[in-house]
Amino acid sequence: MPYAVPFMMLGAVLFGIGLVGFLTRRNLIIMFLCTEVMFQGVLLNLIAMGLRHGNLQGQGFGLFVLVVAAVEAGLGLAIVVLLYRRRGTLDAESWRTMRG
Amino acid sequence: MTAMVQDILGSQLGLSLCFIAVSILVILTAVAYCIYFERKIAAWTQDRYGPNRVGPLGLLQPVADGIKFILKEDFVPGRVDRVLFHVAPMVAFIVAMIGFVVLPFGGRIRWPWMEEGTELLLQGASIDIGLLYLLAVGSMAVYGVVLGGWSSNNKYAFYGAMRAAAQMLSYEIPMGLALLTVILATGALRLESIVDAQVAHAWNLLLHPVAFLMLLTTALAETNRAPFDLAEAEQELVGGYHTEYTSMKFALFYLGEYAHIITASGLLATVFLGGWEPVPFTRLLAGTTWGGWLHWIASSTSPLAGLVRLGVFGGKIAFFVFVFMWVRWSLPRFRFDQLMRLAWKGLVPVGMGMLAVQGWLLYRGTPVHWSAPVAEVLLLVIAGAVNVASGREITGRQASLLRAASVRGEVGGTPAR
Amino acid sequence: MPSRNWRETDIVVVDQPELTLSERLYLPQIFGGMRTTLRHMFSKAMRDRTVVQYPEQKRPMRIENYRGVHRLNRDEQGRVACVACFMCETACPAHCIHIEGAPSPWPDREKYPIQFDIDELRCIYCGMCEEACPVDAIELTPEFRLVGQSREEMIFDKEKLLMVFDQTRHLKPRKNPPITGYAG
Amino acid sequence: MTSGGWVYVTYTVAALGALALYLALPRGRASHRTAGFVFGVASMAGLLTVLRYGLGDPAASNLYFLILSFLTVGGAVRVVTHPKPVYSALYFVMVVLATAALAVLAGAEFLAAALVIVYAGAILVTYVFVIMLAQQSESAAGALTYDTTAREPGWSVVAGFVLVATLAGVILERPWPAAEGEAGVAASNALSIGREVLTRYAVSLELAGVLLLVAMIGALAIARKPVPTDEVPPPDETAPPGETGRRVRPF
Amino acid sequence: MTGDVTQLAVWILLAPLMGSILIGMIGLRGLRDRAHWLAILGVAAALVAAVMLFNDLRAIPNAERAAAFEKSHVVYDWFRADAPTGGRGWFPVEFRIDSLTSVMLLTVLSVSLLVIVYSVGYMRDHHGQGERGYERFFAFLALFVFSMCALVLAGNFLLLYLGWELVGLCSYLLIGFYYQKPSAAAAAKKAFLVNRVGDFGFGLGILLIYWRCGDLSYTYVFSDAGRAALDGYETIVALLLFCGAVGKSAQLPLHVWLPDAMEGPTPVSALIHAATMVTAGVYMVARCGAIFTASPTAMAVVAIIGGATALFAATIALTQFDMKRILAYSTISQLGYMFLGLGVHAPASAIFHLFTHAYFKALLFLGAGSVMHAMAGEIDIRRFGGLARGLKITAATFWIGGLALAGFPLFSGFWSKDEIIHAALNHAPILGGLALLTALLTAFYTFRMIFLAFHGPQRLPPGVEHAHESVAWMTVPLLLLSIGAIGAGGVAMASGDFNIHAWLGPVVAPHGEWSGAESHAGGEDLTLMIVSGALSIVGTIAAWYVYRRRPAIATVVPILLPGPHQLLYQKYYVDELYDALIVSPLRRLGRFCFGMDRYVINTLLWLITAVPRSIGFMLKETMQVGAIQGYAMGMAVGVLLIVWVVLAGS
């Protein structure tokens, strides 16, 4: 099972970087981008796990990750566009009033 | 020395590298001459002669153009995003060029000094997912345009970029659907396998005429060519995404466009026109004299036949390049909403129907020789009939505007259905 | 804040024509159009009939009403016909004419131009000077091939304008001979 | 070195990387950038060392793998730290392309192609599209404050560090069992993926399709600009008369 | 050959379904007033396929029929489940294609086609514009035809149940077509709910079969093995199945929905509440003969309920004034005849009556629709009269339908009804006598309606200037149906495969289950024929006497006999009875439960949730700051905890 463990390590690093980005950036779109970085980490992990088990389930699930990413991008960006139209800014802080 | 040359040419990697080196030169020249032919064809269509001053028949015109491009002032406007402004043309050109590597130019050959039974592929690289690779590379092409348009800090360039992005995203889907139909029928993603399948049966042009038309249409749109050249519509956007570009950077955009056309032509020739097969059905012609020659060209592994096949493939590419130009000088440009409607309400449903029909035929195990084209044409006619039955063509936005006015009673007509 | 920069008055309802099936399919129409262009592409006769290889071949043109480079006419005695009345300079909308007058050395007129410059790059070739001139001294010739390598040499002075007259005299004879005798 | 030793090396590298990330995050002034860069180079070298030597995977000495790892992680860091959104998106394109190349290395060619076509070719173009719509290339006010100031970088970096360290520790210390089936590389092509997805995961595939459809409709419903039907503005009295919604013949 | 037949069956199903789906997809935008073409095309294609199917079946030699008819035609592997006992536990989409199926298909599709054609004329206003929901109507009609064909073609009980419920759904949709009208919406709801009662029993019966046999295909259940597995349970299974039939075919005591269902457009009444859907119960009982005949009790119940319903509904029909309502009760009564036939071991006669009844009852309903069209929606026969002058074709065809319904000699109803009465007299003379009495009443109420509506001095409801004949879209189906109403009885006398008894014989009596049926061929007892013919003539003359000659009688009788008349006029107070016995107590129970839920349980829940709610409130005030990153931080901490616990802890 070549590469499996290094791939997992790489996936973990990507996930961590994406997490930090999501927590620190204030631009709505960049926050979305950071979640996509985390997706990439997960994708690498899935590939690695598939390698480890010697089957294609990891890659099959990778395709579903793609689907989820596409859905997330479509809906998320639609919402971002709507928010931008309202406030004229992409700052996540400008929507702090959205609390119960 | 000879042995070394034989070794290099006798290994697939060596042959591929040599082939790539040669073909880059050839293709760069061809790209430059495309501009010449574009001007010639434009002229002929309009009953003119075209460039005929520089060199005999104007054949040195590309050289003159090149010199002029290099010598012009390389102007960078103020307040542009400098890095992206410089990167964009390179992206456009590189992306357009790297698609060539998987096109199957010449089939299999065997050098005389090689063992019996070993064969080499006369192409850059043969990868398992060749068609997907082409699609992937094609989908990256939009970045050059978008970055160029945005970094110019010019509203016309920006509009052009936005249009191009929307257009290329939209047309990738029907392109994928048309290709999927063929993939489904041939059962292969590897481009050589598709060609082999066509040599063994019939050209996909005959089997899937509607898919061919669809791929041709989407290829026009993906390369930003007329009648889909919304991104550089002169009347509205000055020059579109490359308004602010000058000199060699502009030339890169320009050459990239033609390189893209050549790649698209190669794809069309490979997938639908039997790649390097000179005429369809060579396997049936093997008995006759001339047919025997054609069959030899299509099937022999001798290097000479490979060379002829290269010529045949080049000829097919040239034909499609001609078609691209012919279309450009024949058809008027679409309006943007028409463009989008054609993709989403025309090509995508028809493509999905085509895919479903193809899948059904495969599932039924019906021999596809006549059923596939008949089914596809029928599908097209049905789509047209539905289109006719569905009434007036008013897009969503227009319909809403009209309804708003109609509510106020200021438009006499009924709101669009 | 949805932008509302449209008004209902902007809406024009186009009654769309009813299209037949073949028209809705577009393809037959498209192929028809492509056939037309292909026919033109391969008809050399049409090309040869219509194209004029310009520098070598020229189309006949009506020279009377073409407005090209200016000239300053000479009268019968070879003198400059201008009387330095400044009418053309006044009429010129592009302000490209510059005249400096001086008392005339000849008895039949009071003044004559010692300097007469026309900036050919500034001129819009409207022909107002021609209209304004009381003695038909300034005229526009049918000569349109006007080239130069610097801005300075495109400012034509009196000698050059007279030279133009000498060169184009046979092309376009001076229309109205001067109304002689008004100065005695 | 023992596995236990590598764990501490890994923790150190993660801490170094966290520090570098903390310093490199945009915070309105560029003073820490250089320090961040230095620490970043150090931690990147550490990471590559760990990948190469620390995981007991001889195949990881493949030069391509190391280069691609560098591109992936470096690109991801730039996505997170770059103050200009467009550059963030473009660095992410780089991350995706590098990930796709890694997938090719792992024998997942089809996934790689899908990654490029869908991610780089469609999703990211949409991102770039929206970013560009929202921000011109050089706004008059310079870069926007919310792009150049990070929010609570300290705590976030700590959280990220703890997560990565935990995961890395688990990955290093776990006795990973040997592979169960055949090596997946040989079988991994489009055909077997398709067979897998269309037979075993057929229902999931259908569900994914439904999900996409729903998302498409939802996105349309959200982003579509409504035309006010009942509160259209009153007609402009000064507009020239006779032009109101006139009907014209097409030709 | 079998492949061919299976394909035809698939086309029979697909053609109307495609029509329906296409209308649904493009009807509103593209077709609108042309929507009917797709429905007509689909059903006509199905009819052609059904005729071809009939021919293919006829091509099978007699000796092989029994075997060929028992075959199940599997087209699709639907799903598998663990069988409780034995059996295959396999549910394919399979068809049973035999002579019974083909007769049903021909009946259903031919009547449906004519009704759809009729609807083209009916569903338009005077300007020729389609009504609101025009395309919806045709989509529903085509869907209904699909459902009915699925029910008839089904090769196992699961598919039968599917078709059964689908026709119920279509019936709901079509009765409630004018959903803006409260009465129509209520009628649709009522039909659906009453059917649920029956379907509940039906479903239980199917479950019971599955429990015992482990398989739902006819081939297995009706085989010796299947019947052995059901041994000891036949009565309960048969009664449960019959429960469904009672609901769907509107027999006592679940008949109440059918008269109300007349709120739907008249073609709907003709199609599904007279000719096809309500016959599903008859078809099902005939199909399940193997189960029913094994239980004499069940057969007796079927016969008694059938006979009682026939008489009961006929008496109600005597007093009603709404033309469609009279026809509705008449339908219930005729369905009672069919069940009587089934109960007295004459299934072929029952199916025969189903066949003839489909034509003449559809004809009568469509005629009523034509009258309604001419009278601007008025249907009360007290409000108009003497229409025969204005509506010549309608009156003539209505007469033909009436004669067939009344069992006038040589009309189709005569033959089929006669066979049932004959079998009933042989089997249970009391029931036979009731059936004879019902025949007399049938003739009477039929001609009461005809004389009141079409003869005598012309009277028109206010707002109608003159009675005008309907358009050709409507009259042509009437004429074609009247041919059926006259000639359908001929299949009793025809020879060879066209004789209904010979044709149905191998299916309804393959093992001699329906003992007594095979001895009976149409109309051989001449005495009975004369008696029943005479009864119908007497009824007709009586109606003429009472309503034309001495109309005073008609007005005097209700006054002289107020009790019985009111009893009949109020339909034996069945609705009121149900209301008092079932609906009101249920409603009270519901109100009680609602009160419990609202005040007791809600209070409890509120108290239970108070703790987390107050915690949540405190958290909201302190932790919820409105920034997404803050929440994401919380998620990250949670992920960390999980990673720690799951991975590091182990």
Side-chain angles (χ1 to χ4, degrees):
Chain A
M1 24 136 221
Y3 294 117
V5 178
F7 268 56
M8 277 189 246
M9 188 68 101
L10 215 52
V13 171
L14 275 190
F15 193 87
I17 293 174
L19 178 68
V20 172
F22 188 82
L23 293 178
T24 53
R25 295 306 297 260
R26 293 162 57 179
N27 187 325
L28 284 170
I29 299 177
I30 301 296
M31 284 164 66
F32 267 113
L33 266 182
C34 292
T35 61
E36 305 279 355
V37 173
M38 291 197 264
F39 268 130
Q40 296 294 313
V42 173
L43 198 71
L44 277 180
N45 238 320
L46 283 174
I47 293 175
M49 294 295 179
L51 275 181
R52 164 165 298 288
H53 290 291
N55 59 27
L56 293 165
Q57 294 179 16
Q59 296 180 30
F61 268 89
L63 289 179
F64 295 126
V65 168
L66 281 186
V67 170
V68 173
V71 167
E72 184 231 351
L75 282 178
L77 286 177
I79 294 173
V80 166
V81 167
L82 201 68
L83 297 180
Y84 182 72
R85 255 187 229 149
R86 288 264 169 128
R87 289 276 156 94
T89 171
L90 288 174
D91 192 357
E93 304 278 316
S94 69
W95 292 94
R96 281 188 80 132
T97 49
M98 295 255 296
R99 53 191 287 258
Chain B
M1 186 65 200
T2 322
M4 201 181 91
V5 170
Q6 285 189 354
D7 268 2
I8 291 176
L9 289 181
S11 73
Q12 181 68 61
L13 183 66
L15 182 68
S16 291
L17 285 178
C18 295
F19 186 79
I20 290 172
V22 172
S23 58
I24 282 182
L25 287 179
V26 171
I27 285 166
L28 281 179
T29 321
V31 162
Y33 269 90
C34 271
I35 301 172
Y36 167 76
F37 281 117
E38 174 98 65
R39 292 178 63 181
K40 271 289 188 195
I41 286 169
W44 290 342
T45 312
Q46 298 160 355
D47 292 329
R48 297 186 282 112
Y49 288 124
N52 59 355
R53 296 281 155 165
V54 192
L57 293 174
L59 277 172
L60 294 181
Q61 185 72 38
V63 181
D65 285 345
I67 293 170
K68 185 177 153 190
F69 271 131
I70 292 170
L71 293 183
K72 280 265 180 177
E73 179 188 1
D74 192 356
F75 183 74
V76 179
R79 300 171 66 86
V80 300
D81 191 313
R82 289 196 169 257
V83 179
L84 295 185
F85 189 74
H86 285 89
V87 167
M90 301 181 207
V91 172
F93 188 69
I94 292 172
V95 166
M97 287 295 290
I98 58 179
F100 290 115
V101 77
V102 293
L103 289 182
F105 277 91
R108 291 170 193 77
I109 60 162
R110 188 181 69 82
W111 298 111
W113 59 82
M114 284 166 59
E115 298 168 30
E116 279 296 329
T118 52
E119 285 169 352
L120 296 178
L121 285 168
L122 206 54
Q123 74 187 72
S126 160
I127 58 175
D128 202 19
I129 47 166
L131 214 46
L132 287 183
Y133 171 83
L134 271 181
L135 270 181
V137 167
S139 70
M140 300 300 291
V142 67
Y143 282 103
V145 174
V146 168
L147 293 182
W150 180 74
S151 63
S152 300
N153 198 23
N154 171 323
K155 79 177 152 195
Y156 296 117
F158 184 61
Y159 280 136
M162 292 295 106
R163 283 182 177 189
Q167 172 183 337
M168 289 165 109
L169 274 183
S170 306
Y171 275 81
E172 236 165 66
I173 296 161
M175 180 178 233
L177 287 173
L179 284 177
L180 270 180
T181 311
V182 178
I183 292 172
L184 207 59
T186 20
L189 281 172
R190 195 187 277 272
L191 288 164
E192 307 92 87
S193 314
I194 294 175
V195 174
D196 288 342
Q198 293 180 78
V199 175
H201 294 292
W203 286 6
N204 280 333
L205 174 65
L206 307 174
L207 295 180
H208 306 283
V210 178
F212 168 73
L213 282 178
M214 202 147 139
L215 189 66
L216 187 63
T217 314
T218 52
L220 285 170
E222 284 283 304
T223 50
N224 274 322
R225 290 286 295 186
F228 303 108
D229 54 347
L230 277 294
E232 43 191 293
E234 297 87 356
Q235 293 90 330
E236 306 145 34
L237 301 181
V238 189
Y241 58 90
H242 50 53
T243 302
E244 296 288 352
Y245 281 90
T246 50
S247 178
M248 211 52 214
K249 288 208 286 291
F250 174 71
L252 281 182
F253 271 125
Y254 209 45
L255 295 177
E257 180 181 332
Y258 286 99
H260 210 137
I261 290 173
I262 294 182
T263 319
S265 304
L267 176 67
L268 278 162
T270 309
V271 176
F272 285 101
L273 229 56
W276 29 256
E277 194 187 14
V279 294
F281 305 116
T282 47
R283 87 200 132 86
L284 301 179
L285 294 173
T288 59
T289 321
W290 279 103
W293 278 102
L294 292 171
H295 182 69
W296 176 80
I297 291 171
S299 60
S300 167
T301 56
S302 106
L304 187 61
L307 210 58
V308 178
R309 285 198 291 262
L310 275 181
V312 169
F313 192 67
K316 284 180 184 173
I317 290 183
F319 169 72
F320 276 114
V321 169
F322 167 71
V323 170
F324 272 68
M325 293 169 179
W326 178 18
V327 168
R328 172 171 177 184
W329 296 105
S330 298
L331 303 178
R333 183 181 298 131
F334 275 57
R335 209 170 56 209
F336 198 68
D337 63 318
Q338 293 170 329
L339 175 92
M340 283 297 162
R341 191 170 55 222
L342 178 66
W344 290 104
K345 290 178 151 179
L347 297 180
V348 169
V350 171
M352 285 184 169
M354 218 158 58
L355 200 59
V357 165
Q358 188 61 45
W360 187 63
L361 287 179
L362 276 185
Y363 176 74
R364 293 296 303 252
T366 321
V368 285
H369 298 109
W370 59 269
S371 55
V374 169
E376 284 185 7
V377 171
L378 257 179
L379 192 75
L380 196 66
V381 172
I382 289 173
V386 170
N387 191 3
V388 171
S390 65
R392 288 189 290 163
E393 287 180 350
I394 286 188
T395 50
R397 184 80 185 156
Q398 286 174 321
S400 317
L401 289 170
L402 199 56
R403 203 172 299 124
S406 158
V407 164
R408 293 186 57 86
E410 297 183 353
V411 178
T414 49
R417 296 176 188 167
Chain C
M1 26 112 236
S3 75
R4 286 211 195 126
N5 39 19
W6 56 273
R7 299 190 310 263
E8 294 95 305
T9 48
D10 296 340
I11 302 168
V12 171
V13 187
V14 179
D15 282 331
Q16 302 215 350
E18 291 290 323
L19 300 181
T20 63
L21 178 59
S22 79
E23 283 167 339
R24 272 292 170 90
L25 276 176
Y26 301 130
L27 290 174
Q29 311 286 312
I30 285 174
F31 289 140
M34 307 250 306
R35 209 172 55 93
T36 305
T37 48
L38 196 66
R39 205 175 56 231
H40 280 269
M41 222 180 285
F42 288 110
S43 81
K44 192 164 181 305
M46 178 88 93
R47 214 176 297 153
D48 292 338
R49 199 164 67 238
T50 42
V51 176
V52 177
Q53 288 285 350
Y54 164 62
E56 293 87 1
Q57 304 171 359
K58 285 188 184 130
R59 292 172 73 177
M61 59 190 285
R62 289 182 60 197
I63 55 167
E64 309 87 53
N65 54 2
Y66 193 88
R67 299 202 292 261
V69 182
H70 310 75
R71 72 181 186 190
L72 264 182
N73 290 340
R74 296 179 191 273
D75 58 11
E76 299 79 25
Q77 300 161 29
R79 303 169 304 180
V80 61
C82 176
V83 294
C85 66
F86 293 92
M87 294 284 263
C88 54
E89 187 176 341
T90 314
C92 181
H95 305 301
C96 65
I97 304 179
H98 175 74
I99 304 173
E100 280 177 25
S104 160
W106 306 299
D108 56 349
R109 65 189 80 168
E110 287 173 19
K111 289 164 76 184
Y112 85 112
I114 55 169
Q115 198 183 354
F116 196 108
D117 295 342
I118 298 181
D119 188 345
E120 296 289 346
L121 292 180
R122 209 164 191 200
C123 175
I124 57 170
Y125 302 97
C126 61
M128 300 283 259
C129 45
E130 207 176 13
E131 296 290 326
C133 187
V135 292
D136 285 326
I138 185 166
E139 266 183 346
L140 270 61
T141 66
E143 182 56 55
F144 55 88
R145 287 170 300 171
L146 184 62
V147 288
Q149 291 186 338
S150 67
R151 294 180 199 280
E152 287 72 33
E153 77 177 272
M154 296 302 284
I155 299 174
F156 282 20
D157 58 6
K158 194 171 83 177
E159 279 64 43
K160 203 161 182 180
L161 291 168
L162 286 170
M163 202 171 72
V164 174
F165 175 75
D166 293 340
Q167 284 170 359
T168 58
R169 192 199 296 260
H170 61 282
L171 271 179
K172 184 178 179 183
R174 196 175 167 204
K175 260 187 298 189
N176 299 324
I179 308 162
T180 51
Y182 63 89
Chain D
M1 207 184 293
T2 61
S3 153
W6 279 109
V7 170
Y8 294 106
V9 173
T10 311
Y11 287 164
T12 317
V13 168
L16 214 56
L19 187 61
L21 202 56
Y22 175 74
L23 293 172
L25 279 172
R27 49 169 62 73
R29 54 188 190 279
S31 56
H32 299 312
R33 277 284 165 76
T34 324
F37 182 72
V38 172
F39 281 115
V41 169
S43 60
M44 182 67 82
L47 175 68
L48 294 182
T49 315
V50 170
L51 287 178
R52 167 71 181 83
Y53 297 106
L55 301 174
D57 193 336
S61 60
N62 187 331
L63 189 63
Y64 289 126
F65 176 76
L66 294 178
I67 292 174
L68 290 173
S69 306
F70 170 75
L71 287 179
T72 314
V73 176
V77 169
R78 289 308 277 155
V79 171
V80 170
T81 56
H82 207 290
K84 283 185 182 171
V86 172
Y87 283 81
S88 279
L90 293 177
Y91 274 113
F92 188 56
V93 175
M94 193 177 95
V95 173
V96 170
L97 292 182
T99 313
L102 281 171
V104 171
L105 275 189
E109 290 151 16
F110 183 77
L111 192 59
L115 204 59
V116 175
I117 294 175
V118 176
Y119 241 115
I123 298 178
L124 278 165
V125 175
T126 321
Y127 272 99
V128 171
F129 194 94
V130 174
I131 293 173
M132 287 177 174
L133 275 182
Q135 290 173 341
Q136 273 300 317
S137 56
E138 190 113 345
S139 66
L144 296 159
T145 48
Y146 59 83
D147 277 331
T148 51
T149 48
R151 179 186 179 282
E152 296 199 12
W155 284 112
S156 313
V157 167
V158 168
F161 163 71
V162 175
L163 185 72
V164 171
T166 314
L167 289 174
V170 172
I171 291 172
L172 275 168
E173 289 191 329
R174 269 286 167 102
W176 293 101
E180 289 159 10
E182 297 287 308
V185 184
S188 75
N189 51 35
L191 184 68
S192 28
I193 282 262
R195 197 163 280 154
E196 184 91 351
V197 169
L198 282 175
T199 53
R200 191 187 296 202
Y201 301 119
V203 175
S204 315
L205 189 72
E206 299 286 335
L207 279 178
V210 173
L211 189 66
L212 281 172
L213 180 69
V214 170
M216 189 173 82
I217 294 169
L220 277 178
I222 292 171
R224 193 166 188 276
K225 215 185 249 181
V227 173
T229 304
D230 40 16
E231 40 161 341
V232 283
D236 192 355
E237 296 299 334
T238 60
E243 293 280 298
T244 305
R246 73 204 144 97
R247 305 185 78 90
V248 293
R249 299 297 306 165
F251 302 117
Chain E
M1 197 291 324
T2 52
D4 227 346
V5 172
T6 317
Q7 288 234 325
L8 281 176
V10 171
W11 281 116
I12 290 174
L13 284 185
L14 280 187
L17 182 65
M18 285 309 292
S20 170
I21 291 176
L22 279 179
I23 297 173
M25 275 164 60
I26 57 176
L28 192 61
R29 293 177 58 88
L31 297 172
R32 295 182 74 81
D33 285 357
R34 287 162 291 174
H36 54 266
W37 283 115
L38 277 177
I40 291 176
L41 214 66
V43 177
L47 179 60
V48 170
V51 171
M52 287 162 68
L53 186 95
F54 177 66
N55 269 329
D56 277 1
L57 291 184
R58 286 199 331 119
I60 308 174
N62 265 322
E64 297 168 18
R65 278 193 186 166
F69 285 176
E70 274 190 26
K71 189 174 169 343
S72 92
H73 302 257
V74 180
V75 289
Y76 180 69
D77 190 354
W78 194 3
F79 66 92
R80 284 161 199 276
D82 290 332
T85 51
R88 29 172 209 175
W90 179 40
F91 302 99
V93 174
E94 60 185 333
F95 297 146
R96 169 64 78 95
I97 300 168
D98 57 17
S99 49
L100 178 57
T101 311
S102 70
V103 169
M104 289 298 293
L105 282 178
L106 287 175
T107 316
V108 169
L109 288 170
S110 55
V111 173
S112 307
L113 182 62
L114 291 175
V115 169
I116 290 177
V117 170
Y118 175 91
S119 309
V120 176
Y122 186 82
M123 298 304 287
R124 285 167 193 273
D125 55 21
H126 294 296
H127 310 294
Q129 295 288 97
E131 280 186 27
R132 184 176 164 199
Y134 186 77
E135 67 288 325
R136 180 163 56 94
F137 183 75
F138 284 97
F140 288 165
L141 278 190
L143 183 67
F144 168 77
V145 174
F146 159 75
S147 322
M148 190 69 196
C149 290
L151 189 155
V152 171
L153 278 166
N156 58 34
F157 280 99
L158 195 65
L159 278 185
L160 175 72
Y161 193 66
L162 184 85
W164 194 267
E165 293 298 335
L166 271 177
V167 289
L169 168 73
C170 293
S171 152
Y172 170 77
L173 294 173
L174 284 166
I175 296 171
F177 181 73
Y178 299 122
Y179 56 86
Q180 304 93 334
K181 236 168 54 178
S183 60
K189 234 171 5 188
K190 186 173 180 183
F192 204 67
L193 289 177
V194 173
N195 263 307
R196 298 256 46 79
V197 178
D199 293 351
F200 185 65
F202 189 56
L204 279 183
I206 290 176
L207 285 178
L208 200 57
I209 293 175
Y210 186 60
W211 178 53
R212 293 305 303 166
C213 300
D215 193 347
L216 287 179
S217 81
Y218 295 159
T219 327
Y220 181 79
V221 176
F222 298 156
S223 69
D224 293 335
R227 285 191 297 172
L230 278 178
D231 191 32
Y233 287 86
E234 301 97 347
T235 308
I236 179 79
V237 167
L239 285 179
L240 284 172
L241 292 181
F242 184 60
C243 196
V246 164
K248 191 113 303 184
S249 296
Q251 295 299 292
L252 272 176
L254 298 180
H255 67 283
V256 287
W257 66 271
L258 205 150
D260 286 5
M262 298 304 131
E263 287 293 343
T266 307
V268 170
S269 309
L271 178 59
I272 71 182
H273 303 123
T276 58
M277 170 183 135
V278 289
T279 60
V282 181
Y283 164 77
M284 190 270 291
V285 174
R287 172 62 81 203
C288 302
I291 298 174
F292 277 84
T293 47
S295 158
T297 324
M299 289 299 274
V301 169
V302 172
I304 289 168
I305 286 196
T309 310
L311 182 63
F312 169 83
T315 51
I316 296 178
L318 287 177
T319 57
Q320 300 299 313
F321 289 106
D322 183 324
M323 256 175 118
K324 284 177 72 177
R325 221 161 248 272
I326 297 171
L327 289 171
Y329 280 107
S330 150
T331 301
I332 298 175
S333 167
Q334 298 301 311
L335 288 165
Y337 265 116
M338 296 175 208
F339 281 107
L340 176 63
L342 290 167
V344 297
H345 296 258
S349 306
I351 297 293
F352 179 31
H353 194 52
L354 187 160
F355 178 66
T356 56
H357 174 253
Y359 291 104
F360 63 71
K361 189 51 66 67
L363 170 61
L364 285 172
F365 264 112
L366 295 186
S370 180
V371 169
M372 202 171 157
H373 213 246
M375 297 295 111
E378 187 56 59
I379 199 68
D380 192 328
I381 45 177
R382 286 170 296 191
R383 298 282 188 83
F384 49 77
L387 298 182
R389 255 151 301 180
L391 308 173
K392 286 206 170 57
I393 300 176
T394 307
T397 51
F398 208 89
W399 258 91
I400 293 172
L403 289 172
L405 172 61
F408 202 80
L410 302 182
F411 283 80
S412 62
F414 171 73
W415 302 107
S416 51
K417 199 185 290 182
D418 214 37
E419 285 187 15
I420 293 175
I421 296 172
H422 178 83
L425 280 174
N426 278 351
H427 207 272
I430 301 174
L431 289 176
L434 283 182
L436 274 178
L437 177 59
T438 310
L440 176 67
L441 294 178
T442 307
F444 184 78
Y445 68 68
T446 310
F447 282 95
R448 165 179 176 266
M449 174 170 66
I450 290 178
F451 286 132
L452 279 178
F454 290 102
H455 298 283
Q458 185 165 27
R459 288 173 295 134
L460 295 175
V464 179
E465 278 83 31
H466 57 277
H468 60 91
E469 186 55 275
S470 306
V471 292
W473 279 109
M474 290 162 73
T475 51
V476 170
L478 287 178
L479 292 170
L480 290 175
L481 278 173
S482 52
I483 294 173
I486 298 171
V491 298
M493 249 108 44
S495 60
D497 286 335
F498 291 100
N499 182 304
I500 193 148
H501 294 280
W503 179 239
L504 288 178
V507 174
V508 293
H511 307 303
E513 289 104 336
W514 304 89
S515 56
E518 70 273 23
S519 69
H520 179 89
E524 72 190 39
D525 190 335
L526 199 62
T527 326
L528 178 64
M529 282 172 72
I530 292 169
V531 169
S532 69
L535 278 177
S536 81
I537 295 170
V538 166
T540 311
I541 292 174
W544 172 78
Y545 188 78
V546 172
Y547 289 97
R548 292 290 304 115
R549 192 67 195 266
R550 293 272 182 276
I553 304 178
T555 43
V556 165
V557 168
I559 301 166
L560 285 183
L561 299 169
H565 181 265
Q566 271 302 311
L567 184 66
L568 292 183
Y569 187 66
Q570 299 295 340
K571 311 144 201 163
Y572 293 99
Y573 296 98
V574 176
D575 274 326
E576 288 74 8
L577 196 70
Y578 285 172
D579 201 45
L581 284 184
I582 301 171
V583 181
S584 305
L586 270 179
R587 190 167 289 148
R588 252 173 271 137
L589 181 67
R591 231 175 262 140
F592 173 72
C593 289
F594 178 65
M596 281 293 285
D597 191 49
R598 182 167 204 172
Y599 296 111
V600 181
I601 297 178
N602 270 12
T603 314
L604 274 176
L605 282 178
W606 190 86
L607 286 175
I608 293 169
T609 54
V611 178
R613 234 169 339 109
S614 49
I615 294 175
F617 182 75
M618 289 189 314
L619 283 179
K620 182 186 110 180
E621 290 300 306
T622 53
M623 304 281 286
Q624 192 183 16
V625 293
I628 313 163
Q629 287 97 338
Y631 309 143
M633 187 66 136
M635 278 168 64
V637 172
V639 169
L640 267 178
L641 284 178
I642 291 172
V643 169
W644 269 105
V645 170
V646 174
L647 292 179
S650 62

